[in-house]
Amino acid sequence: NKRRFDISILCCMFWISQLIAQRYTMKITAKAVAKKAGVSAMTVSRVLHGTGYASKEIRKRVEEAARELDYLPNALARGIHTGKTSVIGVLIPVRGEFDAHVVHGVYEELFQRGYSMLLGWPPKILPEKSDTTELTHINRMLEQQVEGLIIHPSHDDAKNQYFEDVFKKNKPMVCIDRDLPNANINFVGTDDNWGSEQIARKLLDYNHRSFLLVNGPLQISSAQQRNEGFKHTLNQVQGTKCFETYNNHHTADWIEDAIAIIKDKKPTAAFCFNDIDATLLINAANKIGIRTPEDISIVGYSGLKNLQRTQPKILSTMYFEPSIIGKEAVNLLLDSISNETNPPRRTLLRPTWIEGETIAKIEL
């Protein structure tokens, strides 16, 4: 008898577990909510999606029924019918502090505006022109019915034909950080030409006339603009000299070239493409007894707060808040979604000069 009783208990437990599993795996539909609330499925859709009128009494009945049944609307299915999925594709390579803050800004603004984010990124910073990984990511996002795209393009020379599938599907897109002069697309980034001009003027005001310019990869628009803005300002003052080296971000050979220029040409100031390059140059110079700013003033660009905390001295740099770029990109994209006839726009955010401890005035 005891054995039969144990078997009965086990059977009951099994059936109870099956009922519980069925309850949580069962797909609750709008029809089930409609039946429980005593209304039509169309009314349920209007109430829960906020797309039409319903009386307070009807609204209360539908909401209570949905809550009791743990009903969750199928956003994907709704998106297929309406074309509105409230999902934005974000293709940004999150490889460092700057990118992470940009994505954080995108996420925060999308969340506040009732949108979700589908995030991806190509594996390479500077891929070969034949590399189609970026386009593969874009096409997969389009297949997920995203309403628009925010991308950090890997091909700065891309033309409209490169984004043919995006244009065919009439999906608005915003590029950040890297401008695409050959494509008719929205852009949000920093005014790098203006920022590098301000750095040059500051160093000139400090009586520097001999400079080292550490360029970034010149196929990147931000590197081109920082290079052009800095040299354009120097060329307006007679007697200035500018020695250049190039960092392609694939090897560290540029550091040896930069140190050789400092030892041979004796520039009194150096402007580096970004804060990371400036930090590497300061450390390399310090190892051979060249002090900053006593022997050479060194300026960065980007104002990465992590480097500000780890530097023995506060780095002189042009600062801008990366998360603002992300937020502005979202605002521009959602505006383009709402106003499809708007022409593409360019938003340039001006950085702020940080007077750190790595530059000094030359006393005449």
Short mmCIF file of all heavy atoms in Angstrom, two decimals, residues 71-107:
data_model
loop_
_atom_site.label_atom_id
_atom_site.label_comp_id
_atom_site.label_asym_id
_atom_site.label_seq_id
_atom_site.Cartn_x
_atom_site.Cartn_y
_atom_site.Cartn_z
N TYR A 71 -0.07 38.51 -20.56
CA TYR A 71 0.02 38.68 -22.00
C TYR A 71 1.05 39.75 -22.36
O TYR A 71 1.07 40.85 -21.79
CB TYR A 71 -1.34 39.09 -22.57
CG TYR A 71 -1.30 39.48 -24.03
CD1 TYR A 71 -1.08 38.52 -25.02
CD2 TYR A 71 -1.47 40.81 -24.42
CE1 TYR A 71 -1.04 38.88 -26.36
CE2 TYR A 71 -1.43 41.17 -25.76
CZ TYR A 71 -1.22 40.20 -26.72
OH TYR A 71 -1.17 40.55 -28.04
N LEU A 72 1.91 39.41 -23.31
CA LEU A 72 2.88 40.35 -23.83
C LEU A 72 2.64 40.50 -25.33
O LEU A 72 2.65 39.51 -26.06
CB LEU A 72 4.32 39.87 -23.61
CG LEU A 72 4.81 39.85 -22.16
CD1 LEU A 72 6.19 39.21 -22.09
CD2 LEU A 72 4.87 41.26 -21.59
N PRO A 73 2.41 41.73 -25.83
CA PRO A 73 2.18 41.91 -27.27
C PRO A 73 3.40 41.46 -28.07
O PRO A 73 4.54 41.63 -27.63
CB PRO A 73 1.97 43.42 -27.41
CG PRO A 73 1.59 43.88 -26.04
CD PRO A 73 2.31 42.98 -25.08
N ASN A 74 3.17 40.89 -29.23
CA ASN A 74 4.25 40.44 -30.11
C ASN A 74 4.70 41.61 -30.98
O ASN A 74 4.09 41.92 -31.99
CB ASN A 74 3.76 39.28 -31.00
CG ASN A 74 4.89 38.62 -31.75
OD1 ASN A 74 5.87 39.27 -32.11
ND2 ASN A 74 4.76 37.33 -31.99
N ALA A 75 5.78 42.26 -30.54
CA ALA A 75 6.26 43.45 -31.25
C ALA A 75 6.70 43.12 -32.67
O ALA A 75 6.51 43.92 -33.58
CB ALA A 75 7.40 44.08 -30.48
N LEU A 76 7.32 41.94 -32.86
CA LEU A 76 7.80 41.58 -34.19
C LEU A 76 6.63 41.39 -35.15
O LEU A 76 6.65 41.90 -36.29
CB LEU A 76 8.64 40.30 -34.11
CG LEU A 76 9.23 39.81 -35.43
CD1 LEU A 76 10.12 40.89 -36.04
CD2 LEU A 76 10.00 38.52 -35.24
N ALA A 77 5.61 40.68 -34.69
CA ALA A 77 4.45 40.46 -35.55
C ALA A 77 3.77 41.79 -35.88
O ALA A 77 3.34 42.03 -37.01
CB ALA A 77 3.47 39.51 -34.86
N ARG A 78 3.67 42.66 -34.88
CA ARG A 78 3.07 43.96 -35.10
C ARG A 78 3.88 44.76 -36.12
O ARG A 78 3.34 45.45 -36.97
CB ARG A 78 2.97 44.73 -33.78
CG ARG A 78 2.26 46.07 -33.91
CD ARG A 78 2.01 46.70 -32.55
NE ARG A 78 3.22 47.20 -31.93
CZ ARG A 78 3.80 46.68 -30.87
NH1 ARG A 78 3.27 45.59 -30.31
NH2 ARG A 78 4.89 47.20 -30.36
N GLY A 79 5.21 44.63 -36.01
CA GLY A 79 6.09 45.36 -36.92
C GLY A 79 5.94 44.92 -38.36
O GLY A 79 6.07 45.73 -39.28
N ILE A 80 5.67 43.63 -38.57
CA ILE A 80 5.49 43.12 -39.94
C ILE A 80 4.28 43.79 -40.59
O ILE A 80 4.30 44.14 -41.77
CB ILE A 80 5.32 41.58 -39.92
CG1 ILE A 80 6.65 40.93 -39.50
CG2 ILE A 80 4.87 41.07 -41.28
CD1 ILE A 80 6.53 39.44 -39.28
N HIS A 81 3.23 44.01 -39.81
CA HIS A 81 2.01 44.60 -40.35
C HIS A 81 2.10 46.12 -40.46
O HIS A 81 1.60 46.71 -41.41
CB HIS A 81 0.81 44.23 -39.47
CG HIS A 81 0.48 42.77 -39.51
ND1 HIS A 81 -0.03 42.15 -40.63
CD2 HIS A 81 0.60 41.79 -38.57
CE1 HIS A 81 -0.21 40.86 -40.38
NE2 HIS A 81 0.16 40.62 -39.14
N THR A 82 2.75 46.76 -39.47
CA THR A 82 2.76 48.22 -39.43
C THR A 82 4.04 48.84 -39.98
O THR A 82 4.07 50.02 -40.31
CB THR A 82 2.59 48.71 -37.99
OG1 THR A 82 3.73 48.31 -37.21
CG2 THR A 82 1.32 48.14 -37.37
N GLY A 83 5.12 48.04 -40.06
CA GLY A 83 6.42 48.57 -40.46
C GLY A 83 7.11 49.33 -39.34
O GLY A 83 8.15 49.94 -39.55
N LYS A 84 6.54 49.31 -38.12
CA LYS A 84 7.09 50.01 -36.96
C LYS A 84 7.50 48.99 -35.89
O LYS A 84 6.66 48.49 -35.15
CB LYS A 84 6.07 50.99 -36.38
CG LYS A 84 5.53 52.00 -37.38
CD LYS A 84 6.61 52.97 -37.83
CE LYS A 84 6.06 54.03 -38.76
NZ LYS A 84 7.11 54.94 -39.27
N THR A 85 8.78 48.68 -35.83
CA THR A 85 9.27 47.70 -34.85
C THR A 85 9.86 48.36 -33.62
O THR A 85 10.13 47.69 -32.63
CB THR A 85 10.36 46.81 -35.48
OG1 THR A 85 11.46 47.64 -35.91
CG2 THR A 85 9.82 46.03 -36.66
N SER A 86 10.11 49.68 -33.69
CA SER A 86 10.76 50.42 -32.59
C SER A 86 12.14 49.85 -32.27
O SER A 86 12.59 49.89 -31.12
CB SER A 86 9.88 50.42 -31.34
OG SER A 86 8.68 51.11 -31.57
N VAL A 87 12.82 49.31 -33.29
CA VAL A 87 14.18 48.79 -33.13
C VAL A 87 15.10 49.53 -34.09
O VAL A 87 14.78 49.70 -35.26
CB VAL A 87 14.23 47.27 -33.42
CG1 VAL A 87 15.67 46.76 -33.32
CG2 VAL A 87 13.34 46.51 -32.46
N ILE A 88 16.24 49.98 -33.58
CA ILE A 88 17.23 50.70 -34.37
C ILE A 88 18.50 49.85 -34.45
O ILE A 88 18.99 49.36 -33.42
CB ILE A 88 17.56 52.07 -33.76
CG1 ILE A 88 16.30 52.94 -33.67
CG2 ILE A 88 18.66 52.77 -34.54
CD1 ILE A 88 15.65 53.24 -35.00
N GLY A 89 19.03 49.67 -35.65
CA GLY A 89 20.29 48.96 -35.82
C GLY A 89 21.47 49.88 -35.53
O GLY A 89 21.53 50.99 -36.06
N VAL A 90 22.38 49.44 -34.67
CA VAL A 90 23.54 50.25 -34.28
C VAL A 90 24.80 49.46 -34.60
O VAL A 90 25.06 48.41 -34.02
CB VAL A 90 23.49 50.61 -32.78
CG1 VAL A 90 24.72 51.44 -32.38
CG2 VAL A 90 22.21 51.35 -32.45
N LEU A 91 25.57 49.95 -35.57
CA LEU A 91 26.77 49.26 -36.02
C LEU A 91 27.99 50.10 -35.65
O LEU A 91 28.45 50.94 -36.42
CB LEU A 91 26.70 49.04 -37.53
CG LEU A 91 27.73 48.09 -38.17
CD1 LEU A 91 27.66 46.72 -37.54
CD2 LEU A 91 27.51 48.00 -39.67
N ILE A 92 28.49 49.90 -34.43
CA ILE A 92 29.61 50.67 -33.89
C ILE A 92 30.61 49.71 -33.28
O ILE A 92 30.25 48.87 -32.45
CB ILE A 92 29.14 51.68 -32.82
CG1 ILE A 92 28.14 52.68 -33.42
CG2 ILE A 92 30.33 52.43 -32.21
CD1 ILE A 92 27.54 53.63 -32.40
N PRO A 93 31.90 49.80 -33.67
CA PRO A 93 32.91 48.90 -33.11
C PRO A 93 33.28 49.32 -31.69
O PRO A 93 33.99 50.30 -31.49
CB PRO A 93 34.10 49.07 -34.06
CG PRO A 93 33.94 50.45 -34.60
CD PRO A 93 32.46 50.72 -34.67
N VAL A 94 32.78 48.62 -30.68
CA VAL A 94 33.03 48.99 -29.28
C VAL A 94 34.38 48.42 -28.86
O VAL A 94 34.48 47.31 -28.34
CB VAL A 94 31.91 48.47 -28.36
CG1 VAL A 94 32.09 49.00 -26.95
CG2 VAL A 94 30.54 48.89 -28.91
N ARG A 95 35.43 49.21 -29.09
CA ARG A 95 36.79 48.72 -28.81
C ARG A 95 37.50 49.53 -27.73
O ARG A 95 38.62 49.24 -27.38
CB ARG A 95 37.63 48.76 -30.09
CG ARG A 95 37.15 47.79 -31.16
CD ARG A 95 38.12 47.73 -32.32
NE ARG A 95 37.68 46.77 -33.30
CZ ARG A 95 36.88 47.04 -34.32
NH1 ARG A 95 36.45 48.28 -34.48
NH2 ARG A 95 36.51 46.11 -35.18
N GLY A 96 36.89 50.57 -27.23
CA GLY A 96 37.56 51.39 -26.25
C GLY A 96 36.59 52.32 -25.55
O GLY A 96 35.37 52.25 -25.74
N GLU A 97 37.15 53.20 -24.73
CA GLU A 97 36.33 54.10 -23.92
C GLU A 97 35.44 55.00 -24.77
O GLU A 97 34.25 55.17 -24.49
CB GLU A 97 37.25 54.96 -23.04
CG GLU A 97 36.50 55.91 -22.12
CD GLU A 97 37.44 56.82 -21.35
OE1 GLU A 97 38.66 56.57 -21.37
OE2 GLU A 97 36.95 57.78 -20.74
N PHE A 98 36.00 55.56 -25.84
CA PHE A 98 35.23 56.47 -26.68
C PHE A 98 34.00 55.77 -27.26
O PHE A 98 32.87 56.25 -27.13
CB PHE A 98 36.11 57.00 -27.81
CG PHE A 98 35.38 57.83 -28.83
CD1 PHE A 98 35.16 59.17 -28.61
CD2 PHE A 98 34.91 57.25 -30.00
CE1 PHE A 98 34.47 59.94 -29.54
CE2 PHE A 98 34.21 58.01 -30.93
CZ PHE A 98 34.00 59.36 -30.70
N ASP A 99 34.21 54.62 -27.90
CA ASP A 99 33.10 53.89 -28.52
C ASP A 99 32.06 53.46 -27.50
O ASP A 99 30.86 53.53 -27.75
CB ASP A 99 33.63 52.65 -29.26
CG ASP A 99 34.62 53.01 -30.34
OD1 ASP A 99 34.36 53.96 -31.08
OD2 ASP A 99 35.67 52.34 -30.44
N ALA A 100 32.54 53.02 -26.32
CA ALA A 100 31.61 52.57 -25.27
C ALA A 100 30.70 53.71 -24.83
O ALA A 100 29.48 53.52 -24.64
CB ALA A 100 32.38 52.03 -24.08
N HIS A 101 31.24 54.92 -24.70
CA HIS A 101 30.44 56.07 -24.28
C HIS A 101 29.46 56.49 -25.39
O HIS A 101 28.35 56.93 -25.10
CB HIS A 101 31.34 57.23 -23.89
CG HIS A 101 31.94 57.08 -22.52
ND1 HIS A 101 31.20 57.18 -21.37
CD2 HIS A 101 33.22 56.81 -22.13
CE1 HIS A 101 31.98 57.01 -20.32
NE2 HIS A 101 33.21 56.77 -20.75
N VAL A 102 29.89 56.37 -26.65
CA VAL A 102 28.98 56.69 -27.76
C VAL A 102 27.77 55.74 -27.72
O VAL A 102 26.62 56.18 -27.81
CB VAL A 102 29.70 56.58 -29.12
CG1 VAL A 102 28.68 56.68 -30.26
CG2 VAL A 102 30.74 57.68 -29.28
N VAL A 103 28.05 54.44 -27.60
CA VAL A 103 26.97 53.44 -27.57
C VAL A 103 26.07 53.67 -26.36
O VAL A 103 24.84 53.53 -26.45
CB VAL A 103 27.56 52.01 -27.55
CG1 VAL A 103 26.47 50.98 -27.30
CG2 VAL A 103 28.25 51.72 -28.88
N HIS A 104 26.67 54.03 -25.22
CA HIS A 104 25.87 54.31 -24.03
C HIS A 104 24.92 55.47 -24.28
O HIS A 104 23.74 55.43 -23.87
CB HIS A 104 26.79 54.63 -22.85
CG HIS A 104 26.06 54.74 -21.53
ND1 HIS A 104 25.69 55.95 -21.01
CD2 HIS A 104 25.62 53.79 -20.67
CE1 HIS A 104 25.06 55.75 -19.86
NE2 HIS A 104 25.01 54.45 -19.63
N GLY A 105 25.40 56.51 -24.96
CA GLY A 105 24.55 57.64 -25.30
C GLY A 105 23.42 57.24 -26.24
O GLY A 105 22.27 57.68 -26.07
N VAL A 106 23.74 56.39 -27.22
CA VAL A 106 22.71 55.89 -28.15
C VAL A 106 21.65 55.11 -27.38
O VAL A 106 20.44 55.35 -27.54
CB VAL A 106 23.34 54.99 -29.23
CG1 VAL A 106 22.26 54.28 -30.04
CG2 VAL A 106 24.24 55.80 -30.16
N TYR A 107 22.11 54.20 -26.52
CA TYR A 107 21.16 53.36 -25.76
C TYR A 107 20.26 54.20 -24.86
O TYR A 107 19.04 54.01 -24.84
CB TYR A 107 21.94 52.35 -24.91
CG TYR A 107 21.05 51.60 -23.95
CD1 TYR A 107 20.27 50.53 -24.38
CD2 TYR A 107 20.96 51.98 -22.60
CE1 TYR A 107 19.43 49.86 -23.50
CE2 TYR A 107 20.12 51.32 -21.72
CZ TYR A 107 19.36 50.25 -22.18
OH TYR A 107 18.52 49.62 -21.31
#
